[in-house]
Amino acid sequence: MNPIQEGRVVIVGSGIIGCSWAMAFASAGFQIKLYDIKQEQITKALENIGKQMKELEKIGMLKGSLKSDQQLALIGGCTDLKSAVEGAVYIQECTPENLEIKKKIFNQLDNIVSNDTVLASSTSCILPSKIFTGLKHVKQCIVAHPVNPPYFVPLVELVPHPETEPSIIEKTFALMKKIGQSPVKLMKEIDGFALNRLQYAIISEAWRLVGDGVISPHDLDLVMSDGLGMRYAFMGPLETMHLNAEGILNYCDRYRDGMIRVLKSFGPIPDFAGETEQKINQAMCEQTPADPAHLNARRRWRDECLLHLAKLKMEVKSE
Ligand code: NAI
C-alpha cells in the first residue's frame, strides 16, 4: 500500500501547535504546506521538526511507517497564502489566540479556498460563531481544538459553528482518525468547549483548597498526578463511576447525597490573584524557576513522560 495520501493539508502558523500538527499529518503520509508570515519562522520550524523527528526515530517513537527523512520531505514551507492553499483538502489554522488575527486570516482564506476545502481552527477558547460568522464558506468551517502537544496527546475537540455542514464534521472526524488522533464531537458550541470547562473546574477547586490552607500546592498536584490522573489516562470520570460501584445506578445510589453535600460546600469562583497567587507561584518556582531554561527543561521532561504514556496506551490497546 502506498503510504503517501492523496490531498494536501495546509497548516497556517508554524509555532508550537502548527509544528506538532505538521508532524502528525506527515506521520500519516500527507503532503503539507506550512505557511507563516515570516520566512525565518518557517526555516526555524522546519529545522525543529526535522530534529524532533530524528530524535523520535532514534528511540523508536516516530509515528507512521515512513522514515523521518521521508516524512520531513512531505513538509514544505510557504509565505504565500494563495499558493499554499491551492489544491488543499484541509486547512488547520494555528495563528496566535487573538480574535482579530484569526478573523483576518479566515477572511483571507474565504476568498481563495474551493467549495470543498475544510477550514479548521486550533483555537483553545474562541467560539466558532465569533471567528466564522459572515464568511462565504462558513458551512466548511469548524474548530478542531488539539491538546498540546497534539503529536503525543491525541484528543481533538471538534466544535461546529451553528451553520457547519454535518458532512464537514464527519470529514474532519475521519481525517483525525486517519492521522491517529482521538476526535470527539461537541453537538454545539459552548464557552471553554468540554476540555477547558473540566480543566477550569479542577483548577478552581485546587486554588480554593490551597487558598483556604487545606493542602500545600505540592500535595495538591500529587492528588492529581499520583491519584485521579493515574486512572484518568485510561478512562474518564463517568466510566470511573461505573467501575467504582456495581454500575452507574449503584454508584449514584451510594454516593448521590455525599456528592451533592460536598458540591454545595464549594466556594465562589476564586479571583486567581493576591495572596494565593503568590503562594502558588512561590511553590511552583521552587520546583521549576520560571525562566526559559528551567521551563523548557521541565517541558522536555513532560513530553518524554507523555511519549512513554502514549506508548503504554498503544500497548494496552493492542492487548
Ligand atoms: P505560537 O505563538 O507558538 O504560534 C503562532 C504562529 O502563528 C507563529 O509562528 C506566528 O509567526 C504565526 N502567525 C502570526 N500571525 C500570522 C498570520 N497572520 N498568518 C500566519 N501565521 C501567523 O502559538 P501556538 O501556541 O502554536 O498556538 C496556536 C493556536 O493553537 C492558538 O489559537 C492557541 O490557542 C491554540 N492552541 C494552543 C495550545 C498550546 O498549549 N500552545 C493548545 C491547544 C490549542
Side-chain angles (χ1 to χ4, degrees), residues 208-216 279:
R208 275 192 294 259
L209 288 170
V210 172
D212 291 349
V214 174
I215 192 167
S216 71
K279 186 172 169 182

Side-chain angles (χ1 to χ4, degrees), residues 15-17 35-37 41 94-97 102 122 124 146 148:
I16 299 172
I17 292 296
Y35 166 83
D36 207 298
I37 37 174
Q41 169 60 28
C94 311
T95 61
E97 189 71 350
K102 292 203 189 287
S122 300
S124 310
N148 187 34

